[in-house]
Amino acid sequence: MSSTLHDPKHVLVDRVNRQMDEFFGDSRLTTRQKLALTCRIAYDGGHDSGLAGQISARGPQPGTYYTQRLGLGFDEITEDNLLLVDEDLQVLEGQGMPNPANRFHSWIYRVREDVNCIVHTHSLHTAALAMLEVPLVVSQMDTTPLYDDCAFLKEWPGVPVGNEEGEIIAAALGDKRAIILAHHGQLVTGATVEEACNLAVLIERAARLQLLAMSAGTIQPLDPKLAREAHDWTSTDRRNKANFAYYARKALRNHPDCLSGKVEL
């Protein structure tokens, strides 16, 4: 006999969340390893655009963060060739130079203490939306983690290597986790590397869905209450870790060279 078929939704949600806490724990991966995997996941997810884009995560000391070396594509990043830099983009660990466009990461980290990872890319479909000066529209269940959580910067401030661009982008992001940058691309943030990586995969899919739907008709809105419920349901730490572990296993099958040693996910 079933004991749950008459339980209300909130009881079932609580039960599932407790189960996820039990079955999906923290990984043993280092920040460097997670960041290297995120670069490969982004590459496989269509985020590569030559050497454009930067992926970073806070370092061990305040005012420091890890990022990739300029001259390497996302498909070439390993845990060993990542750089550790300070807010002025001075290299503290590693060889080479960071992308000078990383400067606006410093501004975001300064104003958003909740952000520990940033993924900025010129992925194909988000860049197409950016060309149209169209904000992201979330109207499908899978993409609800971005519901009311994606800002839009309509005015392109130019190449983001100055402090002015950092101030503009950080202000436009506000308290959201994601943003579409007109005539540029996308940026997502996360309290963890796992969260930022998942949102990066998702925002490109959301943009692709939007463009397909726009070409076929008029996008119909979600019920705000249900969309917010879905946003919160899909945005938990444990769900982010479970999703990331899946993406990481795929990345390791495609790119076993990105990590130095054997890991279990």
Side-chain angles (χ1 to χ4, degrees), residues 132-210:
L132 297 170
E133 296 186 356
V134 172
L136 188 73
V137 176
V138 174
S139 185
Q140 194 269 334
M141 183 176 69
D142 296 344
T143 62
T144 52
L146 291 163
Y147 179 80
D148 195 27
D149 215 351
C150 185
F152 179 60
L153 176 59
K154 186 173 182 177
E155 299 298 327
W156 180 48
V159 179
V161 297
N163 290 312
E164 299 86 352
E165 290 80 18
E167 291 182 285
I168 290 168
I169 292 172
L173 178 65
D175 63 356
K176 307 292 189 186
R177 293 189 296 172
I179 186 170
I180 296 291
L181 306 168
H183 307 287
H184 191 167
Q186 67 81 30
L187 181 145
V188 296
T189 66
T192 63
V193 176
E194 292 94 329
E195 181 180 28
C197 179
N198 293 334
L199 290 176
V201 172
L202 196 59
I203 197 170
E204 171 62 5
R205 176 174 172 80
R208 184 181 181 189
L209 281 171
Q210 181 173 338

Side-chain angles (χ1 to χ4, degrees), residues 29-233:
L29 296 172
T30 67
T31 299
R32 281 181 175 272
Q33 290 173 328
K34 292 176 185 177
L35 205 60
L37 284 165
T38 296
C39 287
R40 301 304 182 102
I41 292 165
Y43 177 82
D44 290 341
H47 285 259
D48 64 304
S49 180
L51 300 180
Q54 317 89 39
I55 300 178
S56 67
R58 287 192 193 266
Q61 300 298 325
T64 68
Y65 56 90
Y66 297 106
T67 189
Q68 77 268 30
R69 187 172 79 207
L70 183 65
L72 296 179
F74 290 154
D75 58 322
E76 298 178 301
I77 301 303
T78 71
E79 63 174 299
D80 296 322
N81 63 30
L82 286 166
L83 303 177
L84 179 67
V85 302
D86 63 17
E87 291 183 316
D88 296 317
L89 303 185
Q90 298 299 309
V91 175
L92 306 176
E93 293 179 11
Q95 300 295 321
M97 66 172 286
N99 189 327
N102 268 87
R103 181 168 295 277
F104 72 84
H105 291 231
S106 297
W107 281 92
I108 293 172
Y109 285 129
R110 276 201 161 201
V111 301
R112 289 283 300 273
E113 293 183 357
D114 60 312
V115 169
N116 289 305
C117 182
I118 297 170
V119 179
H120 165 61
T121 67
H122 304 175
S123 53
L124 185 65
H125 297 93
T126 57
L129 276 186
M131 291 171 63
L132 297 170
E133 296 186 356
V134 172
L136 188 73
V137 176
V138 174
S139 185
Q140 194 269 334
M141 183 176 69
D142 296 344
T143 62
T144 52
L146 291 163
Y147 179 80
D148 195 27
D149 215 351
C150 185
F152 179 60
L153 176 59
K154 186 173 182 177
E155 299 298 327
W156 180 48
V159 179
V161 297
N163 290 312
E164 299 86 352
E165 290 80 18
E167 291 182 285
I168 290 168
I169 292 172
L173 178 65
D175 63 356
K176 307 292 189 186
R177 293 189 296 172
I179 186 170
I180 296 291
L181 306 168
H183 307 287
H184 191 167
Q186 67 81 30
L187 181 145
V188 296
T189 66
T192 63
V193 176
E194 292 94 329
E195 181 180 28
C197 179
N198 293 334
L199 290 176
V201 172
L202 196 59
I203 197 170
E204 171 62 5
R205 176 174 172 80
R208 184 181 181 189
L209 281 171
Q210 181 173 338
L211 290 165
L212 287 169
M214 288 167 59
S215 69
T218 301
I219 298 176
Q220 301 302 310
L222 291 173
D223 177 284
K225 181 180 178 181
L226 296 178
R228 172 53 61 180
E229 178 186 65
H231 170 280
D232 296 346
W233 163 254

